[in-house]
């Protein structure tokens, strides 16, 4: 018997700065109704789904940005999502800006069971951009100003997804570009990775040209590689279209454990894409080429956790290095890498 689950990505078109949460929530409830009609069991909404992508707007005083954050979940504004989940018997994934009772700010995602209970929470680890106003940029990307680095790691939980149980993990937007994030979840046997994103169509750093078509390519490349190398499904849901003159590229996808795109959004608007996913597909990669227990070599990967930035490699010079020097060089490389031999 296949372990079938029907997954949906609910892409959102633009949300303008002046629009309140009730506009976004109304559109999201409508997408949940579509999802129900199309047999979906989980709906994945984008990162920061309730508002415009506010980290593009600079506020000198952090408190002036407080209105972008949720201090309770659910809240009167988000309650209609929880009601729709109950009514349609659908789980949902929601990205939002979280302000804790202690005043800490995170870029957060949750998975909500149809009963309304929160099954899993994740706080974004890889925060792109910068903390101070950057005059070089065409558009600001102030995630490092508005959020702390997430403090929950990359958790995976086994939970009901429709009629099945599945190992579910969450990541947020930029995390997809970091293989470490995928592998930490792969090591927890994740079967479905859910991820929302807001990615500008153009590189806004103003420090060299990046061909426009590569923006979507790099996004899909990262998700397809992450899903393949960790033998899992991935649902990647975008905010799309032009928010107050700033374009986000959309192209939401659902990807299978072979790294193939099963469904892709074609608009830059509210759009639901759905795929029937057999979770048993995760077993092939996991028991063969990516059988971690058989093939991983963590003793050779210590640099990954012991070093943050890259370092220049040792230099080889023509004329060769004498045997003793070679040995010393090798020993230094091994010491730097922190690798234990034998
Ligand atoms: N939201 C988010 O993480 N966006 C980034 C854009 C980075 S541009 C500073 C992304 O990786 O898609």
């Amino acid at each position: 018997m296949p372990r079938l689950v029907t997954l949906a990505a609910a892409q959102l078109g633009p949300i303008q700065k002046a629009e309140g949460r009730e506009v976004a929530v109304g559109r999201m409830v409508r997408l949940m109704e579509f999802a129900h009609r199309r047999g979906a069991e989980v709906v994945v909404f984008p990162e920061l789904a309730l508002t415009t992508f506010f980290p593009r707007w600079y506020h000198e005083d952090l408190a002036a940005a407080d209105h972008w954050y949720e201090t309770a979940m659910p809240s009167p504004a988000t309650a209609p999502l929880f009601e729709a989940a109950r009514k349609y018997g659908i789980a949902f994934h929601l990205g939002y800006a979280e302000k804790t009772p202690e005043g800490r700010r995170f870029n957060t995602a949750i998975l909500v069971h149809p009963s309304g209970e929160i099954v899993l929470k994740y706080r974004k680890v890889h925060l792109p951009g910068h903390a101070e106003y950057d005059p070089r940029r065409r558009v600001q990307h102030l995630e490092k100003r508005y959020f702390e680095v997430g403090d929950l790691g990359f958790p995976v939980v086994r939970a009901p997804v429709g009629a099945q149980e599945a190992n579910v993990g969450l990541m947020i937007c930029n995390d997809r570009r970091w293989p470490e994030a995928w592998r930490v979840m792969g090591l927890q046997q994740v079967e479905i990775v859910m991820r929302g994103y807001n990615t500008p169509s153009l590189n806004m750093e103003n420090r060299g040209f990046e061909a426009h078509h590569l923006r979507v390519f790099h996004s899909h490349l990262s998700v397809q590689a992450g899903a393949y190398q960790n033998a899992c499904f991935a649902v990647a849901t975008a905010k799309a279209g032009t928010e107050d003159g700033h374009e986000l590229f959309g192209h939401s996808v659902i990807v299978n454990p072979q790294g193939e795109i099963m469904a892709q959004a074609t608009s830059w608007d509210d759009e639901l894409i759905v795929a029937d996913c057999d979770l048993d597909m995760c077993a092939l990669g996991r028991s063969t080429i990516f059988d971690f227990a058989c093939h991983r070599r963590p003793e050779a990967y210590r640099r990954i956790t012991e070093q943050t930035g890259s370092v220049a490699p040792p230099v080889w010079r023509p004329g060769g290095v004498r045997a003793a020097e070679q040995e010393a060089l090798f020993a230094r490389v091994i010491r730097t890498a922190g690798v234990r031999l034998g």
Side-chain angles (χ1 to χ4, degrees):
M1 279 289 281
R3 287 171 64 220
L4 273 183
V5 298
T6 304
L7 305 178
Q11 178 172 288
L12 289 176
I15 302 172
Q16 307 307 330
K17 197 178 175 194
E19 286 177 315
R21 286 165 179 67
E22 71 288 353
V23 176
V25 169
R27 285 161 48 185
M28 291 162 79
V29 168
R30 195 162 146 264
L31 285 162
M32 287 175 84
E33 187 200 326
F34 287 169
H36 170 64
R37 280 200 253 137
R38 292 181 61 184
E41 291 161 307
V42 193
V43 179
V44 178
F45 289 114
E47 173 191 34
L48 301 177
L50 301 168
T51 66
T52 196
F53 186 71
F54 71 87
R56 69 168 72 92
W57 304 108
Y58 178 75
H59 290 284
E60 175 75 44
D61 176 9
L62 262 193
D66 270 354
H67 62 288
W68 299 116
Y69 295 81
E70 311 305 311
T71 51
M73 191 58 65
S75 59
T78 52
L81 297 171
F82 289 73
E83 281 154 24
R86 258 188 293 273
K87 177 170 167 191
Y88 300 125
I90 289 185
F92 71 95
H93 160 286
L94 176 70
Y96 64 99
E98 175 190 13
K99 187 169 174 204
T100 70
E102 299 76 36
R104 301 180 69 191
R105 297 172 163 84
F106 296 101
N107 187 341
T108 297
I110 49 172
L111 175 64
V112 181
H113 185 266
S115 67
E117 215 172 307
I118 294 175
V119 173
L120 187 61
K121 178 185 264 198
Y122 168 67
R123 291 169 170 160
K124 188 174 183 179
V125 168
H126 297 106
L127 298 172
H130 44 108
E132 299 304 327
Y133 186 86
D134 182 350
R136 283 176 306 179
R137 296 184 59 99
R138 282 182 282 244
V139 179
Q140 301 299 300
H141 194 110
L142 291 153
E143 285 195 59
K144 282 185 162 64
R145 183 175 192 81
Y146 292 127
F147 304 117
E148 284 180 47
V149 172
D151 59 353
L152 301 175
F154 291 99
V156 173
V157 70
R158 188 162 185 87
V161 178
Q164 307 296 335
E165 285 209 328
N167 301 343
V168 181
L170 312 179
M171 62 167 74
I172 301 180
C173 195
N174 189 265
D175 289 323
R176 73 187 175 295
R177 305 187 197 271
W178 301 94
E180 297 89 339
W182 290 93
R183 184 48 50 88
V184 169
M185 291 205 269
L187 286 167
Q188 298 170 79
Q189 301 182 358
V190 72
E191 293 174 309
I192 306 171
V193 171
M194 301 179 185
R195 179 182 72 86
Y197 62 105
N198 283 266
T199 305
S201 299
L202 300 176
N203 186 321
M204 295 297 180
E205 303 218 18
N206 217 8
R207 270 180 277 169
F209 178 72
E210 182 183 357
H212 303 172
H213 67 281
L214 295 180
R215 303 285 288 177
V216 173
F217 171 67
H218 289 155
S219 181
H220 285 179
L221 180 69
S222 304
V223 177
Q224 292 178 255
Y228 165 63
Q229 292 168 348
N230 295 282
C232 62
F233 289 88
V235 185
T237 309
K239 181 104 75 60
T242 305
E243 290 187 340
D244 296 290
H246 306 294
E247 199 177 277
L248 300 166
F249 66 51
H251 284 80
S252 303
V253 283
I254 302 175
V255 171
N256 73 18
Q258 298 292 349
E260 295 170 297
I261 294 179
M262 304 173 75
Q264 180 173 317
T266 54
S267 76
W268 278 11
D269 214 330
D270 292 1
E271 179 177 346
L272 191 85
I273 58 170
V274 175
D276 293 324
C277 303
D278 178 1
L279 299 178
D280 282 341
M281 262 189 89
C282 302
L284 177 64
R286 195 162 291 167
S287 59
T288 57
I289 188 120
F290 296 117
D291 180 338
F292 294 158
C294 272
H295 308 304
R296 286 185 79 251
R297 291 286 166 240
E299 70 277 14
Y301 309 152
R302 284 179 56 183
R303 264 187 206 273
I304 300 268
T305 53
E306 292 179 356
Q307 185 180 319
T308 307
S310 64
V311 292
V315 179
W316 175 86
R317 301 224 183 272
V321 195
R322 287 202 311 275
E325 284 169 2
Q326 183 106 45
E327 265 168 37
L329 183 67
F330 184 65
R332 185 163 70 79
V333 174
I334 295 298
R335 245 196 339 272
T336 316
V339 174
R340 263 183 297 119
L341 295 176

